[in-house]
C-alpha cells in the first residue's frame, strides 16, 4: 500500500481544506486529493429570493473576497436590467475592490504563507509547526515577524480606505444595481489618499523587499509546485474609459486566447453531488450527495474546453504580459507582490479621478420579470463567475464558480487532476513527518474553501483533529 500523508485541516487557509497525497518509494507524490470540507448551499438559498439579495448573500460566502462577490453579482443584475453604471460608479467600485485586494495580498504573504519559511514565535497558534527545511532564522526571522505585525495594521488601513466608499467592510453596503450609493466629500477623498500613502509605503519598503529576500533564500522553489501551465482570467478593475487594468483572457500551453463562458463545464464525478456532470453553469445544478461513491470533495471540477487552468495573480500577470510564463511556488508569491504594486499605483490615479459631491447612483426600483445574465470579474484568487436566472422577478437559478473551485478542484470525469493536485504530484517530500513542501505548494495558491457548509460529525465535532500521517502526533491543544 502506498505511503500516504494527510493534512486535515490545512491551516492558514480560508475555509476547511484537507489534502491527502500518496508517496512512491522515493518519497515523491504520486497522487494527490484536494478535499473542500465545506458545503454551504448558498446557490439554493438564493432561489426564489429577490435577485438583488444575491449581492449581499453571496458576500457571505467569504469574508476575504466579499467585494468581488458583490461586484460579480451586481454585474449580473445590471446585465439583467440592461443598465450601464456611470463612470464615477465604475471608478468607485474599482477603488473599493482595490482596497480589498491590497489587504488580501498582504494577508497572504505575511499571515498565511510566511510561517512556512521562518522560525515563528514559539506561541500558539504558530507552535508546534513543521520543523523541516527552515532556512530563515535569528535576526532575519525576527525582522520578518516585525513586518508580520506591522502588516496587520497596514491591512486595516486598506480596509478603512475601502470602507469610506463601501459603507462598511468586509461586507460592503454601497454597491447596488444603479451604481454606488456613497458620494464622497473632498475631505473623505483626501483621507483615502492618506490611507493609500501608508499602504504604498509598506508595499515599497517591506512587502516587495521581503518577497525578494524570500524568493532568493528559497530560489529552488521556482522549480517546485508547477501547475498545469494553462492560465485563465476574467479581467478586473473596470476603469471609467471602458478599459480594465488587468484584461481577461487565457494562455493555453503558451498560446493566448479569449474566454467564452459557454466553454466552461463543471464536472462532479468525484464531488459530493448527484446532479448531472458536465453542465455549463448557466444551466448548472447543485444537489448534494454527501458520501457519494468515489467522491472526495464538495468542490466541483470546473474546466474550460475540458482543460485544467490555474487562476490567480500569476495568471493575470502572465495573461497581461507582465510576468514571464512560468509556474511554481515562488512565481506565485512574486507575481502576487508585483501585482500589488501595480494595483496601488493604479489606485492612486483612480483616487485623483474621484469627483466629490457627485452622485454615482441611479435609483432602480424593480428587477426584470425574466432574464439570464452573467457577472464575471477576477477576485484576488482568480476568475469569479456568477450565473443568474430570473423568473417572475425572483431568482430562479444562481450558480457561483469561485477561483479556488478551479484551483483546488478534484479530478474531472476524465480523471485528470485539478491544478493544485497537479502542482503537488511529483513533489519530493524530504521528511514525511514534516511535509512542509506540501504546505508551501498549497499556500502559494492562497486557497479559500469558504464557499461551501461545515459538515459536522456530532460525535467528533469540528476541527478537533490535526492529522499528519504517518507519524506526527495529533494536536491536543485545540
Ligand atoms: Ni474566499 Fe475568493 C477570492 C472568491 S476564493 S477568498 O479571491 O471568489 O474562491
Amino acid at each position: 500500500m502506498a505511503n500516504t500523508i494527510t493534512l486535515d485541516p490545512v491551516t492558514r487557509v480560508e475555509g476547511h481544506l484537507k489534502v491527502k497525497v500518496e508517496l512512491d518509494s522515493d518519497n515523491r507524490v504520486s497522487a494527490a486529493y484536494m478535499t473542500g470540507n465545506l458545503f454551504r448551499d448558498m446557490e439554493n438559498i438564493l432561489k426564489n429570493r429577490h435577485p438583488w439579495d444575491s449581492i449581499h448573500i453571496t458576500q457571505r460566502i467569504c469574508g476575504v473576497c466579499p467585494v468581488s462577490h458583490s461586484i460579480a453579482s451586481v454585474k449580473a443584475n445590471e446585465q439583467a436590467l440592461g443598465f450601464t453604471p456611470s463612470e464615477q460608479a465604475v471608478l468607485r467600485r474599482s477603488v473599493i475592490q482595490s482596497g480589498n485586494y491590497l489587504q488580501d495580498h498582504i494577508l497572504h504573504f505575511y499571515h498565511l504563507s510566511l510561517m512556512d519559511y521562518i522560525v515563528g514565535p514559539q506561541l500558539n497558534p504558530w507552535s508546534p509547526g513543521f520543523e523541516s527545511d527552515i532556512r530563515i532564522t535569528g535576526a532575519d526571522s525576527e525582522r520578518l515577524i516585525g513586518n508580520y505585525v506591522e502588516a496587520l495594521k497596514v491591512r486595516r488601513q486598506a480596509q478603512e480606505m475601502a470602507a469610506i466608499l463601501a459603507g462598511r467592510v468586509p461586507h460592503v453596503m454601497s454597491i447596488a444595481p444603479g451604481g454606488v450609493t456613497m458620494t464622497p466629500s473632498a475631505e473623505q477623498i483626501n483621507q483615502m489618499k492618506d490611507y493609500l500613502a501608508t499602504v504604498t509605503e509598506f508595499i515599497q519598503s517591506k512587502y516587495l523587499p521581503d518577497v525578494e529576500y524570500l524568493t532568493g533564500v528559497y530560489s529552488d522553489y521556482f522549480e517546485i509546485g508547477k501547475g498545469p501551465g494553462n492560465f485563465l482570467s476574467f479581467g478586473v478593475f473596470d476603469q471609467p474609459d471602458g478599459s480594465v487594468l488587468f484584461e481577461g483572457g487565457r494562455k493555453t500551453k503558451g498560446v493566448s486566447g479569449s474566454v467564452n463562458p459557454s466553454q466552461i463545464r463543471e464536472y462532479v464525478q468525484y464531488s459530493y453531488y448527484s446532479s448531472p456532470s458536465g453542465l455549463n453553469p448557466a444551466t448548472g445544478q447543485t444537489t448534494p450527495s454527501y458520501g457519494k461513491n468515489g467522491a472526495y470533495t464538495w468542490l466541483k471540477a470546473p474546466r474550460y474546453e475540458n482543460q485544467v487552468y490555474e487562476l490567480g495573480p500569476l495568471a493575470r500577470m502572465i495573461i497581461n504580459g507582465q510576468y514571464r510564463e512560468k509556474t511554481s511556488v515562488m512565481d506565485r508569491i512574486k507575481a502576487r507582490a508585483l501585482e500589488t504594486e501595480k494595483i496601488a499605483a493604479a489606485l492612486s490615479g483612480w483616487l485623483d479621478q474621484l469627483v466629490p459631491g457627485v452622485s454615482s447612483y441611479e435609483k432602480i426600483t424593480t428587477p426584470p420579470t425574466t432574464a439570464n445574465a452573467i457577472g464575471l470579474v477576477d477576485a484576488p484568487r482568480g476568475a469569479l463567475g456568477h450565473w443568474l436566472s430570473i423568473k417572475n422577478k425572483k431568482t430562479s437559478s444562481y450558480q457561483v464558480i469561485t477561483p479556488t473551485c478551479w484551483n483546488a478542484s478534484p479530478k474531472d470525469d476524465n480523471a485528470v487532476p485539478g491544478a493544485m493536485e497537479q502542482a503537488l504530484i511529483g513533489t519530493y517530500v524530504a521528511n514525511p513527518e514534516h511535509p512542509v513542501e506540501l504546505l508551501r505548494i498549497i499556500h502559494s495558491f492562497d486557497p479559500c474553501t469558504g464557499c461551501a457548509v461545515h459538515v459536522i460529525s456530532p460525535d467528533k465535532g469540528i476541527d478537533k483533529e490535526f492529522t499528519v500521517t504517518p507519524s506526527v502526533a495529533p494536536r491536543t491543544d485545540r
Side-chain angles (χ1 to χ4, degrees):
M1 196 183 121
N3 194 7
T4 62
I5 300 175
T6 303
L7 301 181
D8 182 16
V10 176
T11 51
R12 285 182 277 112
V13 298
E14 318 305 324
H16 293 252
L17 185 71
K18 164 178 146 183
V19 62
K20 185 175 107 181
V21 301
E22 294 170 3
L23 298 184
D24 66 15
S25 53
D26 295 327
N27 275 8
R28 283 197 187 274
V29 176
S30 55
Y33 305 89
M34 302 296 307
T35 297
N37 272 325
L38 296 158
F39 175 63
R40 298 179 72 186
D41 211 17
M42 286 286 187
E43 293 159 331
N44 288 325
I45 288 170
L46 290 165
K47 281 187 190 166
N48 296 319
R49 291 181 181 269
H50 194 297
W52 301 349
D53 285 354
S54 62
I55 296 162
H56 296 282
I57 292 176
T58 61
Q59 289 190 60
R60 272 68 190 175
I61 286 173
C62 175
V64 178
C65 59
V67 180
S68 300
H69 283 287
S70 76
I71 289 179
S73 185
V74 88
K75 278 182 176 232
N77 273 292
E78 287 180 345
Q79 189 185 86
L81 287 159
F83 176 83
T84 305
S86 70
E87 290 184 7
Q88 278 297 303
V90 165
L91 193 56
R92 290 172 193 181
R93 287 177 185 173
S94 288
V95 168
I96 295 169
Q97 194 175 21
S98 55
N100 175 258
Y101 258 70
L102 293 180
Q103 76 83 22
D104 195 3
H105 284 5
I106 294 170
L107 159 76
H108 172 263
F109 181 70
Y110 286 100
H111 304 134
L112 303 180
S113 272
L114 190 58
M115 289 299 159
D116 295 340
Y117 300 93
I118 67 176
V119 174
Q122 297 304 300
L123 297 167
N124 207 349
W126 299 283
S127 178
F130 290 146
E131 291 153 15
S132 177
D133 187 32
I134 300 299
R135 304 175 204 169
I136 300 175
T137 57
D140 287 324
S141 196
E142 280 172 26
R143 172 175 53 78
L144 289 166
I145 290 169
N147 293 346
Y148 173 115
V149 174
E150 191 180 341
L152 290 168
K153 297 178 194 150
V154 169
R155 282 175 50 209
R156 180 177 175 160
Q157 304 266 305
Q159 296 273 48
E160 287 184 359
M161 183 198 68
I164 291 175
L165 281 178
R168 66 198 284 264
V169 293
H171 300 108
V172 307
M173 297 301 291
S174 66
I175 293 176
V180 173
T181 57
M182 169 65 190
T183 301
S185 65
E187 190 187 1
Q188 284 172 316
I189 295 170
N190 282 337
Q191 208 181 341
M192 294 167 78
K193 290 179 178 173
D194 285 348
Y195 280 129
L196 179 60
T198 307
V199 176
T200 303
E201 160 64 18
F202 180 82
I203 293 166
Q204 294 295 341
S205 67
K206 304 283 168 60
Y207 183 19
L208 291 168
D210 287 348
V211 166
E212 194 64 31
Y213 171 69
L214 182 81
T215 55
V217 174
Y218 285 90
S219 57
D220 47 325
Y221 272 79
F222 279 111
E223 299 301 326
I224 294 173
K226 292 176 193 291
N230 294 334
F231 303 96
L232 183 146
S233 164
F234 292 151
V236 63
F237 299 123
D238 293 338
Q239 304 187 98
D241 63 1
S243 65
V244 282
L245 182 64
F246 295 107
E247 294 275 0
R250 281 183 300 127
K251 266 279 170 106
T252 311
K253 303 288 178 245
V255 178
S256 298
S258 57
V259 175
N260 176 353
S262 70
Q263 297 305 314
I264 297 171
R265 296 274 179 279
E266 285 195 292
Y267 296 94
V268 297
Q269 183 169 335
Y270 295 92
S271 313
Y272 298 131
Y273 298 100
S274 58
S275 20
S277 196
L279 297 178
N280 179 263
T283 55
Q285 297 175 30
T286 306
T287 311
S289 176
Y290 182 55
K292 188 179 98 178
N293 195 19
Y296 59 92
T297 179
W298 284 105
L299 304 191
K300 298 177 183 176
R303 299 289 187 261
Y304 188 94
E305 291 178 341
N306 287 325
Q307 299 288 310
V308 179
Y309 280 83
E310 173 174 344
L311 276 54
L314 177 64
R316 282 190 290 273
M317 293 288 279
I318 287 175
I319 289 164
N320 282 271
Q322 293 169 346
Y323 197 85
R324 59 190 176 161
E325 197 171 326
K326 283 206 67 183
T327 157
S328 70
V329 168
M330 286 302 150
D331 285 305
R332 290 184 197 103
I333 288 174
K334 194 168 175 179
R336 190 177 283 108
L338 294 173
E339 181 182 76
T340 310
E341 183 183 32
K342 287 186 183 302
I343 294 168
L347 175 54
S348 171
W350 296 333
L351 292 179
D352 286 340
Q353 295 175 61
L354 285 176
V355 181
V358 170
S359 171
S360 59
Y361 177 63
E362 190 176 312
K363 191 166 182 181
I364 306 171
T365 52
T366 356
T369 306
T370 308
N372 294 306
I374 312 179
L376 303 178
V377 71
D378 255 44
R381 286 157 194 76
L384 169 69
H386 285 205
W387 281 259
L388 163 70
S389 292
I390 301 173
K391 277 190 191 140
N392 298 325
K393 302 190 177 175
K394 298 257 173 76
T395 299
S396 59
S397 169
Y398 208 99
Q399 289 285 310
V400 174
I401 305 184
T402 62
T404 294
C405 205
W406 292 81
N407 284 338
S409 65
K411 291 187 282 188
D412 55 37
D413 292 12
N414 294 318
V416 179
M420 290 172 68
E421 291 179 338
Q422 290 191 25
L424 289 165
I425 291 169
T427 302
Y428 173 67
V429 179
N431 179 354
E433 294 179 15
H434 290 256
V436 70
E437 299 88 348
L438 306 182
L439 266 193
R440 288 171 181 163
I441 293 170
I442 293 167
H443 283 153
S444 70
F445 283 89
D446 194 10
C448 166
T449 44
C451 318
V453 166
H454 247 124
V455 177
I456 301 175
S457 302
D459 54 331
K460 284 172 83 181
I462 53 172
D463 286 1
K464 287 250 178 78
E465 293 178 24
F466 176 84
T467 320
V468 179
T469 51
S471 63
V472 169
R475 286 178 67 149
T476 54
D477 57 338
R478 51 185 294 181

